[in-house]
Amino acid sequence: MLLAELFYSIQGEGKLCGVPSAFVRTSGCNLRCTWCDTPYTSWSPEGEEAAVAQIVGRVRETGARHVVVTGGEPMIAPQIGALCAALKAEHLHVTVETAGTVFHPVPMDLASISPKLANSTPHEREGGRFAAAHEQQRLNLGVIQRFIDGAGDFQLKFVVMGEEDLEEIATVLAGLRGWKPADVLLMPEGTDVATLRGREPWVAEVCKQHGYRYCPRLHIALYGHARGT
Ligand code: SF4
């Protein structure tokens, strides 16, 4: 599969925020979010071909007990099932981060599902040539439900920019079963501390009102927006 990067860092988002983890980042995505923070896996995919055994060996070398398989969209990576099965065979805790538009019955401990809201649609970027395809694919409630039903644990992580996102989040949640407010994470959009700071108080208040979980971007605070972190 095409591997963008593999590194050892601190999980900066979600229920396992703060846990030292190895990150396996596949390259390639079926979406084109306008604010994508890893464009080298989506808008301009890059990386090196790597076999499952090579990837598992490099994860083993990090010494991590938690591994995060992310992207891009890992669910479209060839051999994603074999990779996750091999990582589980190493007795690692496996998180898979997905936008929830493509389903495979992949072994994992935590499904980190990030449904993409209208704020992600690239109306301006590259003349808007990906906007229609993105809009058509960005939400698939049936796929998200399969992840929820099939996972030992899951989280629904929404990237939010403003109050206009709340109505769409409510609509998405109304179409899903089996979640509780603590499974819902709101994460402010932004790749720099100043932007995040500007959105944090508002997002925190919404979480308090609804019982959702506030999702920081700890890796940005620790390392800035840098590859390999
Ligand atoms: S789904 Fe993720 S990797 Fe793909 S374009 Fe959106 S933010 Fe980037």
Side-chain angles (χ1 to χ4, degrees):
M1 64 176 65
L2 193 61
L3 183 68
E5 54 188 353
L6 192 159
F7 55 92
Y8 184 43
S9 186
I10 299 285
Q11 172 60 285
E13 304 172 356
K15 290 181 175 178
L16 293 176
C17 184
V19 175
S21 305
F23 288 78
V24 176
R25 189 183 303 285
T26 65
S27 195
C29 187
N30 57 326
L31 300 181
R32 295 288 185 278
C33 298
T34 191
W35 38 253
C36 181
D37 59 356
T38 57
Y40 51 94
T41 69
S42 56
W43 289 86
S44 304
E46 58 186 66
E48 294 180 354
E49 285 295 330
V52 167
Q54 286 176 299
I55 295 171
V56 173
R58 288 178 58 188
V59 169
R60 195 184 297 129
E61 285 171 9
T62 70
R65 302 311 309 156
H66 287 70
V67 60
V68 181
V69 180
T70 186
E73 174 50 73
M75 283 297 136
I76 65 169
Q79 296 186 296
I80 184 64
L83 173 64
C84 291
L87 293 169
K88 289 288 293 174
E90 296 278 316
H91 305 293
L92 296 167
H93 180 286
V94 177
T95 297
V96 176
E97 296 187 334
T98 176
T101 61
V102 179
F103 181 81
H104 288 297
V106 169
M108 67 180 87
D109 298 287
L110 174 63
S112 181
I113 312 156
S114 183
K116 295 299 180 272
L117 302 176
N119 67 30
S120 67
T121 302
H123 295 293
E124 309 292 333
R125 199 161 166 176
E126 293 197 10
R129 66 191 181 102
F130 286 106
H134 180 93
E135 192 59 28
Q136 192 175 25
Q137 294 184 71
R138 68 180 172 83
L139 275 179
N140 188 324
L141 296 188
V143 167
I144 295 171
Q145 191 64 56
R146 292 184 77 181
F147 278 113
I148 291 174
D149 294 342
D153 195 9
F154 70 92
Q155 59 192 19
L156 291 162
K157 184 174 65 180
F158 293 95
V159 177
V160 293
M161 299 180 76
E163 290 193 28
E164 63 277 10
D165 297 330
L166 298 180
E167 188 175 338
E168 189 177 11
I169 291 170
T171 301
V172 170
L173 292 174
L176 298 171
R177 306 175 307 278
W179 58 272
K180 54 187 183 307
D183 297 320
V184 178
L185 287 69
L186 300 192
M187 185 173 80
E189 191 278 332
T191 53
D192 63 87
V193 171
T195 301
L196 291 170
R197 286 269 156 78
R199 292 182 168 140
E200 283 168 351
W202 170 78
V203 176
E205 283 307 308
V206 174
C207 288
K208 286 161 64 179
Q209 288 168 17
H210 294 269
Y212 300 154
R213 196 181 295 236
Y214 177 81
C215 182
R217 305 201 78 196
L218 177 61
H219 53 300
I220 300 285
L222 285 172
Y223 307 115
H225 181 45
R227 285 179 72 158
T229 59

